[in-house]
Amino acid sequence: MSRPASLSAAAAAGVAALVAALLLLQPEDVGQGASVSMAETESLPKLREDFRMQNKSVFILGASGETGRVLLKEILEQGLFSKVTLIGRRKLTLDEEAYKNVNQEVVDFEKLDDYASAFQGHDVGFCCLGTTRKKAGAEGFVRVDRDYVLKSAELAKSGGCKHFNLLSSKGADKSSNFLYLQVKGEVEARVEELKFDRYSIFRPGVLLCDRQESRPGEWLVRKFFGSLPESWASGHSVPVITVVRAMLNNAVRPSDKKKELLDNKAIHDLGKADDSLKP
Ligand SMILES: NC(=O)c1ccc[n+]([C@@H]2O[C@H](COP(=O)([O-])OP(=O)(O)OC[C@H]3O[C@@H](n4cnc5c(N)ncnc54)[C@H](OP(=O)(O)O)[C@@H]3O)[C@@H](O)[C@H]2O)c1
């Protein structure tokens, strides 16, 4: 008896996602020192204030996605930038008052050179773009996660961006045999060649969020991590809000390093730094 196609597809997605999860269970990437000292934590409010005074502008790629939209919300709540621009393939409906000053640039990612002006004049850029092999096929995945990201970074650099932030993935490795990890590693390396004044790479494990889009495989992986002891699960997964706070806490602290690599542990530590200030 043949199984319904949807069931087979869900099972295949589940297996693929579990394989991906197992890949993520490898030892932590060699990233930047994770610990955040109490002095650093206590200095965060002042760093934010100093940062605000600089009236910087920012762009976000992928602001309609799970991480990008939390990042946008947090940027507005913290009031860190004087100008916020979203660069995406479609205009987002942002009705709430808090979003009234957000600029939107709608671009065709297949002809990005025609939209170079969208990338001009931003001090800081965050890239949360990405798709999945299931959604876009292998070629489509490479097109988005490597080509669109790289071209956007090139245009941002030419447009004057000083600090580029790339949301990558735990296990990213340009010599990996697994397409996902290989592409993530390759794009990390190729963006580095652009020589931004500051380049920050974030390598989270499985992102924990209430995804609006149905992804049964990812749901299964989340259940899998949910069944593990908390200390173990947090080594391989991270809530989206923690990633976003780590990105912003990192952005406001001055750095003389050209490249920073924040692994899952560093993301947890920096993203939750403010929690220790709460009574
Ligand atoms: N999910 C995880 O557990 C996990 C773990 C580690 C790392 N990551 C990485 O983290 C990044 C963000 O993940 P996420 O889950 O927040 O992403 P997401 O929710 O899937 O959002 C992806 C964003 O990319 C845009 N995008 C996708 N395909 C596009 C295309 N063909 N052309 C233009 N824009 C396109 C989407 O725009 P539309 O809304 O217009 O589609 C959306 O804004 C990705 O690079 C992902 O690989 C994810």
Side-chain angles (χ1 to χ4, degrees):
M1 195 169 61
S2 67
R3 280 182 300 168
S6 60
L7 202 62
S8 313
V15 171
L18 273 175
V19 170
L22 290 170
L23 279 172
L24 292 177
L25 290 181
Q26 60 193 299
E28 194 66 272
D29 304 308
V30 183
Q32 183 165 303
S35 62
V36 183
S37 69
M38 200 46 178
E40 276 184 287
T41 299
E42 282 171 354
S43 67
L44 275 171
K46 169 84 170 65
L47 288 175
R48 276 187 205 113
E49 203 41 56
D50 292 348
F51 192 89
R52 281 183 200 112
M53 302 293 281
Q54 296 171 53
N55 287 323
K56 295 197 184 203
S57 61
V58 66
F59 72 83
I60 305 174
L61 286 154
S64 56
E66 293 297 333
T67 314
R69 66 192 170 81
V70 178
L71 177 66
L72 170 61
K73 188 163 180 280
E74 195 69 14
I75 280 178
L76 296 175
E77 275 174 17
Q78 292 191 20
L80 291 177
F81 294 92
S82 58
K83 186 175 174 208
V84 179
T85 302
L86 314 182
I87 303 177
R89 62 173 162 177
R90 61 196 171 92
K91 189 156 194 256
L92 307 183
T93 309
L94 304 168
D95 290 333
E96 286 171 49
E97 179 70 9
Y99 294 87
K100 71 174 191 302
N101 292 326
V102 173
N103 305 293
Q104 296 203 51
E105 295 280 357
V106 177
V107 302
D108 178 348
F109 281 89
E110 285 296 320
K111 299 179 191 157
L112 268 184
D113 278 321
D114 296 351
Y115 298 85
S117 62
F119 293 84
Q120 257 158 26
H122 310 289
D123 301 297
V124 181
F126 290 95
C127 180
C128 304
L129 266 190
T131 188
T132 61
R133 194 172 170 157
K134 181 165 180 278
K135 227 168 137 176
E139 240 178 76
F141 164 71
V142 176
R143 195 94 189 108
V144 175
D145 285 57
R146 185 191 64 197
D147 301 344
Y148 290 0
V149 171
L150 186 58
K151 189 72 210 174
S152 299
E154 280 171 16
L155 293 172
K157 168 77 181 165
S158 311
C161 176
K162 302 278 184 283
H163 183 189
F164 191 79
N165 295 268
L166 178 64
L167 183 53
S168 179
S169 171
K170 182 174 163 73
D173 174 3
K174 64 182 177 183
S175 51
S176 173
N177 291 324
F178 293 93
L179 182 73
Y180 178 79
L181 300 179
Q182 186 274 319
V183 165
K184 294 294 185 190
E186 183 185 348
V187 77
E188 281 185 5
R190 290 180 65 181
V191 171
E192 188 177 354
E193 287 167 14
L194 299 175
K195 301 200 184 311
F196 281 95
D197 288 4
R198 186 173 175 192
Y199 172 38
S200 308
I201 302 168
F202 297 83
R203 286 187 178 173
V206 173
L207 295 176
L208 303 176
C209 57
D210 293 323
R211 193 172 287 282
Q212 289 171 344
E213 172 198 338
S214 162
R215 288 191 190 168
E218 231 178 81
W219 177 84
L220 199 64
V221 170
R222 260 180 229 117
K223 287 278 161 209
F224 170 64
F225 280 107
S227 67
L228 300 175
E230 151 65 20
S231 61
W232 217 69
S234 69
H236 305 286
S237 60
V238 56
V240 161
I241 184 67
T242 305
V243 177
V244 161
R245 290 193 177 142
M247 287 173 139
L248 296 179
N249 286 346
N250 186 59
V252 299
R253 58 179 189 178
S255 168
D256 50 13
K257 294 199 183 78
K258 274 192 91 68
K259 176 186 160 189
E260 299 158 302
L261 185 57
L262 284 92
D263 59 25
N264 198 60
K265 166 128 180 49
I267 292 169
H268 268 278
D269 289 350
L270 191 54
K272 290 180 188 153
D274 287 288
D275 295 359
S276 61
L277 293 177
K278 290 179 188 146

